[in-house]
């Protein structure tokens, strides 16, 4: 029999125990920076060197950290479910934990792209890019991440995945950034829905099962619950 489809929306909280800071746990500052300075098109226009340096630091940090028990739990769930991860995170910790089906809604730290063409993507792993680093046409490169105020093209791919989910799980996201936060609304009504987070996010719908715990612990509780549904 085909495995049931387990669709998992993850956010910064799942990587917190790996040592990557979440966004909203630090007063609008992100690793000491004003988000508007480093993660908006306006910030880029004002000071691209600062933005590149910020992401160079994020990439260097990513090279130093490891996936945690929550990432590995999602990989292990592939034994019993068809697991589809939709992540808001730009880190690669799901992939490094071995998960085989990961959609990045907000891009990836390990990729850069031409400022003129969002489809011209280059893999750079954990290397730095600087002003003057260009594609083959001499166009400046920028991080392949979605900044505030930019479109989220991957949402089109995410919607049908949510509609087809047999079980839906939310892990470590404050559910305040759209369109990602709206994805849960596209699940069928009778689909079991779980939320793993030490702080209950506000989600405007009923029928949710909350597991109020850090991801590493909460995912173990969730795994037991999911065994009943496999
Ligand atoms: N385990 C699970 N959840 C945790 C943990 C943990 N150890 N620590 C914190 N959290 C939870 C917080 O309670 C919060 O609900 O993780 C969530 C983090 O929320 P945000 O910082 O808002 O991160 P996220 O929801 O991923 O942000 C969405 O906003 O800044 C943009 O593009 C960026 O993708 C990001 C998007």
């Amino acid at each position: 029999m085909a495995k049931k489809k387990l669709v998992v929306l993850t956010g910064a909280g799942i990587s917190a125990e790996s040592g990557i800071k979440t966004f909203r746990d630090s007063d609008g500052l992100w690793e000491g920076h004003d988000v508007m300075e480093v993660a908006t098109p306006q910030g880029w226009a004002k000071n691209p060197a600062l933005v590149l340096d910020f992401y160079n630091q994020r990439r260097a940090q990513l090279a130093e950290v490891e996936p945690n028990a929550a990432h590995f739990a999602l990989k292990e769930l592939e034994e019993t479910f068809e697991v589809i991860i939709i992540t808001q995170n730009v880190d690669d910790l799901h992939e490094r934990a071995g998960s085989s089906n990961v959609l990045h809604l907000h891009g990836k730290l390990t990729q850069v792209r031409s400022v003129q063409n969002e489809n011209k993507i280059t893999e750079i792993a954990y290397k730095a890019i600087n002003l003057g680093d260009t594609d083959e046409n001499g166009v400046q490169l920028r991080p392949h991440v979605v900044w505030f105020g930019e479109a989220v093209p991957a949402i089109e791919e995410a919607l049908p995945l949510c509609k087809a989910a047999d079980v839906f799980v939310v892990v470590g996201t404050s559910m305040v950034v759209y369109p990602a936060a709206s994805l849960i609304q596209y699940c069928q009504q009778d689909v079991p829905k779980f939320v793993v987070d030490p702080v209950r996010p506000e989600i405007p719908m009923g029928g949710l099962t909350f597991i109020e715990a850090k991801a590493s612990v909460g995912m173990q509780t969730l795994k037991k619950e999911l065994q009943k549904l496999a």
Side-chain angles (χ1 to χ4, degrees), residues 161-172:
L161 298 172
C162 297
K163 286 182 189 162
D166 296 306
V167 183
F168 195 82
V169 174
V170 174
V171 189

Side-chain angles (χ1 to χ4, degrees), residues 23-98:
F23 305 98
R24 286 172 190 81
D25 290 337
S26 47
D27 267 354
L29 289 186
W30 183 19
E31 299 280 1
H33 288 79
D34 178 346
V35 170
M36 299 310 286
E37 298 280 318
V38 294
T40 62
Q42 294 80 0
W44 172 254
K46 191 171 140 199
N47 193 345
L50 175 79
V51 175
L52 291 177
D53 183 53
F54 174 75
Y55 283 97
N56 288 342
Q57 288 177 39
R58 303 281 69 74
R59 235 176 267 115
Q61 177 191 41
L62 184 53
E64 298 297 318
V65 302
E66 298 293 339
N68 66 57
H71 298 103
F72 288 114
L74 285 176
K75 159 65 188 162
E76 288 153 19
L77 277 163
E78 291 187 6
E79 286 167 23
T80 33
F81 288 91
E82 180 186 341
V83 180
I84 299 152
I85 298 173
I86 303 172
T87 188
Q88 298 167 84
N89 298 344
V90 293
D91 67 51
D92 61 356
L93 296 180
H94 285 305
E95 287 88 345
R96 279 159 55 189

Side-chain angles (χ1 to χ4, degrees), residues 11-13 16-17 22-25 88-89 106 148 172-175 177 197-199 213-215:
E17 290 165 86
T22 62
F23 305 98
R24 286 172 190 81
D25 290 337
Q88 298 167 84
N89 298 344
H106 296 163
F148 285 100
T173 166
S174 56
M175 295 290 265
V177 171
D197 201 301
V199 180
K214 288 186 173 182

Side-chain angles (χ1 to χ4, degrees), residues 99-114:
S99 283
S100 37
N101 200 345
V102 186
L103 174 64
H104 283 266
L105 281 180
H106 296 163
K108 292 175 81 170
L109 275 176
T110 53
Q111 294 179 331
V112 292
R113 66 171 163 91
S114 148

